[in-house]
Amino acid sequence: MRLRVFPLEEEGRLHLLTLARAWRRSRLVGEEDLRAFEAEAGEPLRCAGLAVRILFFALALVAVAAVNVLIAEFVEGQPLQGAWIALTGVVCWVLGELLLARYRLYRFGVEEGLLSSGASQIAFGLVLALGPAIPHTPRAVTLSFSLPVCAAFLLLYLRVGYVYAAFVSIGAAAFALFTAGPGEHAARLIWAGGSLAVVALMRARREIPEHEREAWDMLQGALALSAYLVLNLRLAHILSFGRPAPRAGSLYEWATLAAVGLLPPLLLASALSRRSRAFLAAGSIAALLSLVTLKPYLGLQRHVWDAALLGAFLMALSVFLRRRLDAGPAGERGGWTARELVVPKDEGLAPGQFLAAAVGVAAAQPGPAPAERPGFGGGSSGGGGASAGF
């Protein structure tokens, strides 16, 4: 049984067609070559620009939220409300599947909103419907909500390939582990070991479709970075605003310090060997966080100028790397370059421009009319020449 909605070959043709159009914008291929490739690729799946995709996604979420408000208004009782919400989630999922099958929508926005709403509502509705049967303990409530969300969004990722659905599934699994798991220290080790094991298994797979490589790279980089984040005890201590950290000098803390020192260079080395942009970003973030948390780990005194020195070092490093790459043959060294080789697609209004327009409209709304100043009429001020309106 095939789980994916669209065949991998069809998604691959769309990916190649997108690349061919990007090459044409960059003047790497001619117009005749692009026309020939479009004729060979056939009718592609229907896609929308990023701004339109986000707009349709938001509109679908608003419509589904309005239906849920009506359910909460006219249906009484938690189990009955949960059953209706779950049923509405099933309807949303079916509508999303119909849009995919009939209109061949692919990353269009509206079908994403329906499917995402369906996945979340099915999980949440089942929790409400089964609420009386769930033990009223924090651990049971957490697991009863997190595990269905994790499973629903994992199915959504496997079915359609939305990367953010995989991130939601990973986040739900992490929430369940750290709030209802065997304890903080054990949960950290379990999550770090499991994440790195999944990354190793994903990297061992060789036969990955070309259009899936970027998504797989992003997931691997995110999992590797999450393993680093849970092992950096001092980072968690700083973000928790002074929550007590593990006892200084303990074996557990020194082991995490070793991991914090070893993971960033390993991630950067893997990024350079495989030319992975996600691993390069993950390794750079991990290295920066290691520099920030080194003094707290070692118990050294921090100074107010530490941030300024770190910023100056990062600026100098960026300038050095840019000049080093630009000085190479054709502006590249070892397959790396700081220049933009492919012209990105013009998405129309970017999401940031949409947000700026919304803020501008809100700011342009007329405020309350100023109160009228009282008019002091009647009479003159002797011979001083003051009028009645003075």
Side-chain angles (χ1 to χ4, degrees):
M1 179 179 178
R2 181 169 58 87
L3 185 61
R4 201 64 173 258
V5 175
F6 300 110
L8 294 179
E9 297 79 10
E10 194 167 6
E11 293 188 23
R13 287 198 299 270
L14 177 62
H15 175 72
L16 292 178
L17 181 59
T18 304
L19 286 180
R21 289 170 176 170
W23 295 337
R24 178 68 191 101
R25 291 192 300 270
S26 307
R27 302 179 183 272
L28 300 177
V29 297
E31 187 69 27
E32 297 78 8
D33 298 329
L34 178 60
R35 294 289 175 256
F37 190 85
E38 290 177 341
E40 183 180 354
E43 183 183 0
L45 301 173
R46 297 183 179 180
C47 302
L50 181 60
V52 176
R53 179 182 173 186
I54 294 176
L55 178 62
F56 284 168
F57 185 89
L59 290 176
L61 293 185
V62 170
V64 174
V67 173
N68 290 331
V69 170
L70 289 177
I71 292 175
E73 184 72 23
F74 294 102
V75 179
E76 297 181 356
Q78 177 179 324
L80 190 57
Q81 286 181 351
W84 274 102
I85 290 175
L87 179 61
T88 307
V90 173
V91 173
C92 290
W93 190 290
V94 172
L95 288 177
E97 291 276 356
L98 289 177
L99 291 177
L100 292 173
R102 182 167 183 177
Y103 297 102
R104 294 167 53 83
L105 301 184
Y106 186 84
R107 312 298 191 264
F108 207 84
V110 60
E111 83 288 0
E112 297 182 65
L114 290 174
L115 290 172
S116 300
S117 299
S120 57
Q121 287 192 196
I122 291 172
F124 184 64
L126 289 177
V127 173
L128 289 181
L130 301 176
I134 299 174
H136 293 283
T137 61
R139 184 173 186 177
V141 172
T142 298
L143 292 177
S144 64
F145 177 73
S146 301
L147 296 183
V149 170
C150 178
F153 278 89
L154 178 61
L155 176 62
L156 181 60
Y157 169 70
L158 296 176
R159 181 72 174 150
V160 197
Y162 300 143
V163 180
Y164 55 81
F167 284 129
V168 173
S169 180
I170 293 172
F175 181 75
L177 176 63
F178 283 95
T179 56
E184 181 182 353
H185 295 340
R188 289 176 184 274
L189 296 178
I190 292 173
W191 182 264
S195 299
L196 295 178
V198 171
V199 170
L201 292 176
M202 295 178 71
R203 297 224 121 185
R205 183 180 175 183
R206 301 297 182 184
E207 299 178 358
I208 304 175
E210 185 64 31
H211 65 279
E212 289 284 341
R213 291 187 181 276
E214 184 176 359
W216 273 59
D217 197 41
M218 291 176 59
L219 290 175
Q220 293 173 48
L223 286 173
L225 182 59
S226 71
Y228 170 86
L229 293 178
V230 300
L231 289 177
N232 194 327
L233 301 181
R234 289 309 175 211
L235 177 65
H237 174 61
I238 293 173
L239 295 179
S240 61
F241 301 101
R243 188 184 62 177
R247 182 173 57 86
S250 65
L251 178 61
Y252 181 85
E253 184 174 1
W254 288 117
T256 58
L257 176 58
V260 166
L262 291 175
L263 277 176
L266 290 177
L267 293 177
L268 292 174
S270 179
L272 295 176
S273 63
R274 292 175 175 261
R275 287 176 171 79
S276 170
R277 183 176 298 180
F279 266 71
L280 182 62
S284 301
I285 294 173
L288 176 61
L289 294 178
S290 294
L291 291 175
V292 171
T293 55
L294 181 61
K295 276 192 172 183
Y297 249 115
L298 299 179
L300 302 177
Q301 182 181 1
R302 287 181 290 176
H303 303 284
V304 294
W305 58 81
D306 289 344
L309 293 178
L310 179 60
F313 168 74
L314 293 177
M315 288 189 290
L317 180 62
S318 64
V319 171
F320 169 76
L321 292 177
R322 178 63 184 258
R323 291 189 175 182
R324 175 72 176 172
L325 292 174
D326 290 342
E332 63 91 15
R333 287 182 183 273
W336 294 89
T337 181
R339 296 182 294 107
E340 190 175 50
L341 298 179
V342 178
V343 178
K345 179 182 177 181
D346 184 10
E347 301 284 359
L349 284 177
Q353 293 172 309
F354 262 117
L355 180 61
V359 172
V361 170
Q365 295 297 325
E372 286 190 23
R373 297 180 60 184
F376 299 99
S380 299
S381 180
S387 67
F390 179 73

